[in-house]
Amino acid sequence: MTEKEITEEVVEEGVHNYSAADAYVWPADPKVRQKLEWFQDQKLALMMHWGPYSQLGIVESWALSDADAEWSRKGIDWEASGKEFKEQYFGLNRTFNPIRFDPERWADLAEEAGIRYLLFTTKHHDGFCMWDSRYSDYRITAEDCPFHTHKYADICGHLFEAFRKRGIGIGAYFSKADWHVDSYWKKGCARDDYMWRGPLTTLRRVLRNGNVL
């Protein structure tokens, strides 16, 4: 099979849907290969999206995109404008206080259910960090988040530790996009203006120029 034939088979309308097994390029690092071998046998996972947005019962992050407002802001009646909505959404960290969070109990239930690995949202596109990040003030352990004084404040750390103790694998969902950072948005698409989900060309340009996000 030629490279052109593989490309035509794998890519449909610009979307990479799958890779043919005979075209897969195995990594050279033996430790990475060992992890891939391990992953082949993991059948049942627990995937969790959790963050300040959970207080409203809305989909994570997408409501910040005006282009996705029609489906992602259903059930929300407290915004007067797109600008005010974004201000309110980004302010949800100031009321996020999940005092009943019990990582040991969660891990027990997962073990009983036969869960083989956990996939947890450490940071979604809205930029809120569910761990004690040194690189952002928009995080679960920041002083403006009421949960920061709790014994389990570093949610990711405690959750991963509890699951690992029971032999359950860990996968960290981490969005490279960060909609809380002004420099992510291209000119004319600041947070208070009309926004859509992906001004990625601007993000790549910023990274290439060596600027700090």
Side-chain angles (χ1 to χ4, degrees):
M1 182 178 290
T2 67
E3 183 177 348
K4 181 179 179 181
E5 289 172 333
I6 293 173
T7 301
E8 290 176 348
E9 181 182 358
V10 173
V11 180
E12 299 176 0
E13 297 182 357
V15 178
H16 187 284
N17 294 314
Y18 64 93
S19 295
D22 57 355
Y24 181 72
V25 179
W26 284 91
D29 189 325
K31 291 184 178 179
V32 175
R33 292 189 64 128
Q34 184 179 5
K35 283 292 185 181
L36 288 174
E37 292 288 345
W38 169 85
F39 186 73
Q40 297 298 315
D41 293 326
Q42 309 310 303
K43 305 300 181 184
L44 184 62
L46 171 61
M47 182 175 184
M48 298 180 63
H49 280 289
W50 189 34
Y53 50 84
S54 303
Q55 298 172 90
L56 303 179
I58 62 174
V59 65
E60 66 285 344
S61 302
W62 296 112
L64 293 168
S65 168
D66 297 291
D68 296 282
E70 183 177 351
W71 64 269
S72 63
R73 296 181 189 174
K74 287 183 178 179
I76 300 173
D77 59 2
W78 43 275
E79 84 278 10
S81 66
K83 177 181 178 180
E84 185 174 352
F85 169 79
K86 293 159 197 169
E87 291 174 349
Q88 292 169 328
Y89 182 106
F90 281 123
L92 288 171
N93 63 309
R94 296 192 291 270
T95 54
F96 190 48
N97 194 21
I99 57 175
R100 296 178 66 185
F101 170 55
D102 187 345
E104 297 293 335
R105 178 58 176 152
W106 288 17
D108 282 340
L109 291 172
E111 185 179 29
E112 291 173 14
I115 296 297
R116 302 295 297 274
Y117 68 100
L118 167 72
L119 182 57
F120 184 75
T121 305
T122 63
K123 179 178 78 72
H124 208 264
H125 313 325
D126 58 19
F128 187 78
C129 300
M130 295 286 279
W131 79 98
D132 189 23
S133 173
R134 294 179 295 171
Y135 301 99
S136 174
D137 291 330
Y138 195 53
R139 65 181 191 273
I140 190 69
T141 55
E143 291 186 3
D144 59 353
C145 180
F147 195 63
H148 81 277
T149 59
H150 196 279
K151 66 177 181 178
Y152 292 140
D154 186 357
I155 285 179
C156 285
H158 290 290
L159 193 62
F160 290 171
E161 180 183 10
F163 275 68
R164 283 180 175 133
K165 283 193 303 185
R166 291 156 178 80
I168 300 174
I170 300 297
Y173 180 115
F174 177 87
S175 171
K176 292 185 288 184
D178 190 333
W179 296 354
H180 192 259
V181 177
D182 286 326
S183 57
Y184 175 83
W185 304 104
K186 66 181 180 180
K187 185 177 180 180
C189 285
R191 272 187 258 167
D192 56 345
D193 296 323
Y194 183 88
M195 294 169 12
W196 73 294
R197 61 174 67 182
L200 298 180
T201 54
T202 299
L203 177 62
R204 294 192 187 103
R205 189 177 305 116
V206 169
L207 291 175
R208 276 204 303 270
N209 292 340
N211 297 326
V212 178
L213 292 176

